[in-house]
């Protein structure tokens, strides 16, 4: 699982924003400068500390600084986010990722809840990376970004970094004949299956 995080940073001067987000919104910097001026801190004013206010409502995910300390400008303090905005990042083999398209349906399973969740593909990243599998095999992988479709109440217990299994629906067909996998056998490069048919003498084979 992944999330669109928001990090708070220290800043020792009012020449720069009071705090900065890794996912900045328009007008955020201007708002923080206004906070400095409202407290009587003019441009270039040096102060011992600055009260840091979160630019968004959310939940505290991680605290980088555990106790009081003198910090350099730009040091991250906290990471906050709205859990309802979390996304799923699944790494697929590149040979599978080329079959995945935006807006395809996704089934999210084995996440610990009582039922499977629904998602939708938002983006297939255009670059891959190498990853060593559990068997020690070097694989070429591609990240696929998936948004949840199921209501947040159904997966509220999920958190950042949790493990899930995903299945992307690359093709959907109606009225498809299904047979057991054990009934299939190879004929050259094709898959074949025996079927019951009437012969010319009226018998069944």
């Amino acid at each position: 699982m992944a999330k669109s995080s928001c990090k708070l940073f220290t800043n020792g001067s009012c020449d720069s924003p009071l705090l900065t987000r890794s996912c900045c919104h328009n007008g955020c910097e201007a708002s923080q400068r206004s906070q400095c001026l409202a407290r009587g801190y003019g441009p270039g004013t040096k102060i011992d500390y600055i009260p840091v206010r979160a630019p968004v409502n959310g939940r505290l995910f991680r605290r980088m600084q555990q106790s009081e300390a003198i910090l350099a400008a730009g040091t991250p303090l906290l990471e906050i986010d709205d859990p309802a905005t979390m996304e799923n990042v699944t790494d697929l083999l590149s040979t599978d990722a080329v079959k995945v398209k935006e807006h395809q349906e996704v089934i999210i399973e084995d996440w610990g809840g009582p039922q499977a969740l629904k998602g939708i593909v938002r983006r297939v990243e255009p670059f891959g990376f190498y990853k060593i599998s559990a068997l020690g095999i070097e694989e070429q992988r591609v990240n696929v970004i998936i948004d949840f479709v199921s209501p947040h109440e159904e997966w509220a217990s999920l958190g950042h970094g949790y493990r899930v299994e995903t299945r992307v629906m690359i093709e959907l067909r109606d009225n498809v004949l299904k047979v057991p996998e054990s009934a299939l056998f190879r004929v050259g490069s094709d898959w074949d299956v025996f079927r019951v048919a009437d012969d010319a003498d009226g018998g069944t084979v």
Side-chain angles (χ1 to χ4, degrees):
M1 301 295 298
K3 61 184 186 305
S4 54
S5 61
C6 165
K7 296 180 181 178
L8 308 188
F9 295 85
T10 60
N11 201 313
S13 169
C14 281
D15 288 333
S16 300
L18 179 63
L19 46 85
T20 305
R21 295 188 59 200
S22 60
C23 47
C24 288
H25 291 306
N26 293 333
C28 184
E29 179 175 341
S31 174
Q32 292 160 4
R33 290 183 183 276
S34 298
Q35 291 182 35
C36 281
L37 296 175
R39 294 186 177 91
Y41 306 144
T45 301
K46 300 297 181 180
I47 53 179
D48 294 331
Y49 69 92
I50 295 178
V52 179
R53 298 182 183 276
V56 294
N57 294 326
R59 179 179 176 184
L60 177 62
F61 275 82
R62 190 162 52 136
R63 184 173 63 180
M64 287 76 162
Q65 301 297 326
Q66 301 298 323
S67 58
E68 182 178 352
I70 298 175
L71 304 174
T75 302
L77 301 176
L78 304 172
E79 189 169 333
I80 63 174
D81 193 23
D82 180 0
T85 64
M86 281 199 303
E87 61 191 13
N88 179 290
V89 180
T90 298
D91 59 277
L92 301 179
L93 289 172
S94 59
T95 51
D96 293 331
V98 296
K99 305 173 186 176
V100 177
K101 308 297 181 184
E102 294 180 2
H103 309 302
Q104 287 179 333
E105 297 180 12
V106 180
I107 298 176
I108 302 170
E109 303 173 311
D110 296 333
W111 60 279
Q115 60 187 9
L117 303 173
K118 295 181 180 180
I120 189 170
V121 175
R122 188 210 314 164
R123 172 180 168 84
V124 180
E125 293 192 344
F127 60 90
F129 57 91
Y130 284 109
K131 183 177 181 179
I132 305 299
S133 70
L135 299 177
I137 301 174
E138 192 176 70
E139 300 174 335
Q140 189 73 12
R141 294 271 176 169
V142 176
N143 281 335
V144 176
I145 313 301
I146 299 169
D147 290 326
F148 286 95
V149 174
S150 298
H152 178 245
E153 293 75 16
E154 296 183 10
W155 52 274
S157 57
L158 276 176
H160 176 57
Y162 285 32
R163 175 186 175 276
V164 300
E165 294 286 340
T166 57
R167 291 194 296 157
V168 181
M169 304 291 104
I170 59 175
E171 186 175 357
L172 298 175
R173 294 185 181 181
D174 297 326
N175 301 319
V176 175
L177 176 64
K178 297 190 293 184
V179 298
E181 185 177 355
S182 57
L184 300 173
F185 59 92
R186 282 284 191 181
V187 177
S189 60
D190 298 326
W191 287 101
D192 282 28
V193 62
F194 288 111
R195 68 184 181 90
V196 177
D198 295 332
D199 62 10
D201 298 328
T204 301
V205 295

